[in-house]
Amino acid sequence: MVNFKLERDCFLIVLLLVNCTYVHAQIGWFRLGFCYGFGSEFNNSDYTYQNRYFKISTDYRLKKGKFLDYELVVQPEINFSKHQLKNLYFITPEELDYQHKREEFSKLKNLHEYVLNLGLRVRKAITTKSSIYLLGSVGPMLIDTETERLSKGFAFSDVLTLGVSFKVEKLSFDINGNVRHTSNGGFQGSNAGFNTFNLEFGTAFSL
């Protein structure tokens, strides 16, 4: 119940921010939107990981080309995840207090991840109302819970996205699939990270 209330409140805050920013935005070269996505880990025997997330998406057009458009993308994100260790032997006897770690990390855990995605989108128009795009992003992330795969605290989120957009006047609708990897680059103790596939839906105002 607590997690549901937190997610509901975050959802309402994100909607409020999107609406307020849209009202005040008056320049014609950016797009502002809201995205919701969900996914899970690639099939493996080591762990389970399911997530759902909310994003504010701000796209700045860098160049409108004859064949391709280039956009700078900034996406603050909050991610709600559930994770559980399946393979106890992932924690080896060489690790300090490994029996306690196996017991602790085999419990189902709720994780909150706070991310700032920074990326480049390359877009190709299909018709006057539709387009496809490829988006690559990387950004800093904070995770609030320690796991056997990723330490609590600072990390990175890397995302590769393939999607399609449809326009209706100034409103556009997106659907995409993306592959996401999180790790901390060796700045923290545990750095195996998580690998997930996500499905994402979004809507945006083009100004």
Side-chain angles (χ1 to χ4, degrees), residues 4 6 28 42 103 167 192:
F4 173 77
L6 178 61
F42 295 122
E103 180 180 357
K167 290 176 59 178

Side-chain angles (χ1 to χ4, degrees), residues 37-124:
F38 58 90
S40 62
E41 82 287 348
F42 295 122
N43 289 333
N44 67 82
S45 59
D46 289 333
Y47 67 96
T48 63
Y49 181 96
Q50 294 83 39
N51 65 306
R52 53 184 178 272
Y53 58 86
F54 303 96
K55 290 180 183 177
I56 296 174
S57 182
T58 305
D59 304 346
Y60 297 87
R61 179 181 289 164
L62 299 175
K63 179 181 179 182
K64 183 172 179 60
K66 185 175 181 180
F67 299 104
L68 299 173
D69 294 344
Y70 299 89
E71 301 164 0
L72 176 66
V73 180
V74 180
Q75 296 179 322
E77 171 189 333
I78 182 169
N79 196 314
F80 302 90
S81 308
K82 293 183 181 294
H83 162 68
Q84 188 170 20
L85 172 66
K86 291 168 58 179
N87 177 16
L88 296 181
Y89 298 100
F90 182 84
I91 301 174
T92 64
E94 288 75 21
E95 297 187 44
L96 184 64
D97 199 14
Y98 75 96
Q99 291 180 331
H100 174 73
K101 287 184 177 180
R102 285 178 177 178
E103 180 180 357
E104 176 62 25
F105 290 142
S106 63
K107 299 175 183 177
L108 181 64
K109 294 182 178 295
N110 292 307
L111 317 177
H112 297 134
E113 301 163 1
Y114 308 93
V115 190
L116 180 60
N117 300 288
L118 306 171
L120 178 67
R121 189 196 316 265
V122 180
R123 186 184 299 276
K124 169 64 176 175

